[in-house]
Amino acid sequence: MYNFAQMYYIVYAFLYLLSLLPFFIWYPISTSIAAILRKMKYRKEVILYNLRTAFPQKTEEEIQAICRQFYIRFTDSMVDMLKLMSMSKKELQKRAFMDVSSMLPYLQEGRQIIIMASHLFGWEYGNSVIATKITRKFVGVYMKMSSDTFDRVVKTLRSRTGALLLSAHEFPKQSPAIFGRKEVLGLIADQNPAYIDSAYWLHFFSKPVPFNSAPEKAAQRTNAVVFFMQAARKKRGYYSFTNIPITTEAAATANGDITRAYRKILEESVLQQPANYLWSHKRYKWTREQVREKRWMDDRPLPAKNLL
C-alpha cells in the first residue's frame, strides 16, 4: 500500500508526462471530452439555470450556444492547467500577456497591493504569470481540495513560477507576516462564502448573491491599493490580463464600495465573453429568505420577497 508521499510522486510524474504532449494533440482531445460531458449532461442543469438567471434577455438559442462554448472553455482550462506543469516561463509569458505598469508606482512606494481575481477562465495562467512580472512575492489564497494528493499536486504546479500558495485555512495564521512584508496578495473573490452571515449581499446580474467580504475588509484594514485582474481569452491557450484599479486608498472607502466596484467590473467582463466564466458552480443557490437584509450593500434595492 502506497503512503501519501509515494502516491503524490506517482500522480505528479504521470501528469507531468501528459503535460509534455503538445497543444495540437491536447486540443482535439479537449474538444472530444467537452462533447462527451455535454452528451452526459455534466452539470448541465446548473449551467443552464445560471445562464438563464444571469441573462434573462437572451433567447434560448443564445443560451444553448453559450452553454456549448462553455464546455469547450471548461475542458480547455484543464488542458491549460496541465500544461503549466512543464511550461517554461518564456512560453507562459507568450501565452499569458500581462502589463503590470499600473502597479509599479505602488510597488515602488512600498504600498500593500491586493488583487481581486475571479473565475474567468485563464485564472491559472494569471496567477502564474504575475509572479514572473513583479519583484515582490505574490501570495495566492485558494480553496483546499478534498484529496490531499491532488491538493499537493495543484499547489506545486501553481508555485512553479515563484508564487506562494496558501489554503484559506492556512492564510489567517500567516496573514500578519504577509501584510508585514507587504507581499502582493491575490484573492479569488467570487466564490460562495462559507459564512453568509458575514457576507455582503448584492445583485450578480439579475439575482442577489452573497459576496465574500473578507477581501474588502483586508484591504480597508491595510489601506491597500486594490486591483481587479481581468482575464480575456484571445484564442485557445492565449489570454491577456488587465489589472484594473478599484481604489488606491482602501481605508477611505465605505463598507461595500470595493465589493460593488468588483462586482461591476466582473459583470462587464462576463458580458464581453459570456462563455469564459465558470458557470458550472452554483452561482444562484440562495433563496430570498436567506438574504441578510442588514448586509445588503447594493445601490439597487433588494427585491421584495414575492418578486424573487
Side-chain angles (χ1 to χ4, degrees), residues 218 247 258:
T247 181
I258 292 173

Side-chain angles (χ1 to χ4, degrees), residues 130-286:
I130 193 171
T132 72
K133 295 282 189 177
I134 58 177
T135 53
R136 271 193 245 164
K137 175 70 74 175
F138 174 74
V139 180
V141 180
Y142 75 103
M143 297 302 294
K144 192 176 187 299
M145 300 179 71
S146 57
S147 166
D148 289 338
T149 298
F150 280 99
D151 183 72
R152 185 176 173 187
V153 169
V154 170
K155 193 170 184 177
T156 300
L157 76 88
R158 287 174 172 171
S159 304
R160 284 187 67 241
T161 57
L164 171 64
L165 270 294
L166 297 174
S167 72
H169 297 291
E170 296 172 305
F171 178 70
K173 187 179 293 185
Q174 299 200 35
S175 61
I178 290 168
F179 288 127
R181 294 190 295 266
K182 300 290 177 57
E183 293 171 340
V184 177
L185 180 62
L187 301 168
I188 297 284
D190 61 342
Q191 301 194 93
N192 282 315
Y195 305 102
I196 61 175
D197 287 336
S198 61
Y200 287 158
W201 289 81
L202 303 93
H203 286 284
F204 181 50
F205 290 108
S206 67
K207 189 176 179 181
V209 300
F211 282 81
N212 193 336
S213 63
E216 176 174 313
K217 290 177 179 177
Q220 290 172 326
R221 187 172 63 252
T222 59
N223 195 27
V225 181
V226 183
F227 289 89
F228 178 101
M229 184 189 287
Q230 183 184 57
R233 182 182 184 270
K234 296 302 181 184
K235 60 181 180 178
R236 273 186 147 174
Y238 289 83
Y239 301 87
S240 66
F241 300 91
T242 306
N243 293 296
I244 302 172
I246 290 179
T247 181
T248 59
E249 298 288 342
T253 62
N255 289 341
D257 284 354
I258 292 173
T259 306
R260 279 193 299 273
Y262 170 84
R263 184 274 314 274
K264 182 176 184 293
I265 304 171
L266 175 58
E267 286 184 342
E268 291 170 349
S269 303
V270 173
L271 285 171
Q272 290 171 18
Q273 296 186 329
N276 209 52
Y277 188 63
L278 191 61
W279 294 113
S280 52
H281 285 192
K282 290 186 176 180
R283 299 292 171 187
Y284 299 105
K285 65 180 182 178
W286 312 99

